[in-house]
Amino acid sequence: MAGNRDRTQRRDESDVKRGDVRETYDRIATHFASTREYAWPEVESFVASHATDRGFDAVGLDLGCGNCRHAELLAAECGSVVGLDVSRGLLETGRERALERRFDVELVQGDAAALPLTDDGVDLAVYVATLHHLPTRAARLASLDELARVLSPDGRALVSAWSTAHDRFDATEGFDTTVEWTLPGGDPVDRFYHIYAPEEFEADLAASDLTLREWELSSGNCYATVAGAGQSG
């Protein structure tokens, strides 16, 4: 009985922390999105490399989509695109961008560790700058497993996380921290991050249901190209 209570308490604590992350991004959504205009070069390269010959019926997924700057890239290559984020405020900024720039994306509010998507249904996915916001290792591993579940046998995804290799950090092991965001009026808002050591990032991918194809360090971030457990080729 004590063990069951402990597990329930850990789940409750994790849910509270994830709720805090959602509330944080709801609060800063408009200002945050205004500073995220352009797609990352690494994402542009991934989409250009892996969108070839997938056909017009390909399904794209921008996981942790924010203002949908990367969903816009996917929309140019895929027949349909889902943009998923835990923050309703960020989803609204994504909706505005899609309307202004005239691209189609189906927006879904959801938890990256429990995706409301069918098995094997995603051909091309982008999961950048989001994994490190999940507040427990269990949630991060569950999220990677969920990504593996929804990828099609030929699907590919790009996963990224902030790393101890970044110039602003002086650490060799992964750690939890908060990074302050300052709103226009001067109010500071703390954002949770798990800063990955590169070896830890690779180890978590290996511990998940994903198949690691390749990974690299770039601009202080770990990037990995992955396939689902049922990959072909």
Side-chain angles (χ1 to χ4, degrees), residues 14-95:
S14 178
D15 289 345
V16 168
K17 290 178 181 178
R18 285 146 82 177
D20 289 344
V21 171
R22 181 182 63 248
E23 291 173 6
T24 293
Y25 276 90
D26 280 345
R27 182 179 177 189
I28 71 173
T30 300
H31 184 233
F32 181 82
S34 72
T35 68
R36 299 298 189 268
E37 176 69 16
Y38 302 107
W40 287 1
E42 295 86 354
V43 179
E44 291 178 324
S45 177
F46 168 79
V47 172
S49 297
H50 293 277
T52 306
D53 299 328
R54 292 195 176 269
F56 185 71
D57 59 347
V59 176
L61 170 64
D62 187 357
L63 183 51
C65 63
N67 70 345
C68 288
R69 56 184 167 150
H70 295 134
E72 185 175 359
L73 285 179
L74 292 170
E77 304 290 347
C78 300
S80 61
V81 177
V82 175
L84 186 143
D85 205 286
V86 72
S87 166
R88 185 174 294 277
L90 285 175
L91 288 171
E92 286 302 318
T93 70
R95 189 184 312 280

Side-chain angles (χ1 to χ4, degrees), residues 118-175:
T118 59
D119 295 357
D120 306 326
V122 173
D123 300 293
L124 200 62
V126 174
Y127 187 20
V128 299
T130 299
L131 178 68
H132 52 218
H133 291 307
L134 299 184
T136 65
R137 182 171 187 257
R140 292 189 290 272
L141 288 176
S143 179
L144 295 173
D145 287 346
E146 280 288 86
L147 179 58
R149 178 182 65 80
V150 302
L151 281 174
S152 68
D154 292 318
R156 295 291 182 270
L158 180 68
V159 182
S160 85
W162 217 357
S163 163
T164 56
H166 196 282
D167 292 341
R168 72 180 292 165
F169 303 122
D170 183 18
T172 57
E173 296 183 357
F175 63 97

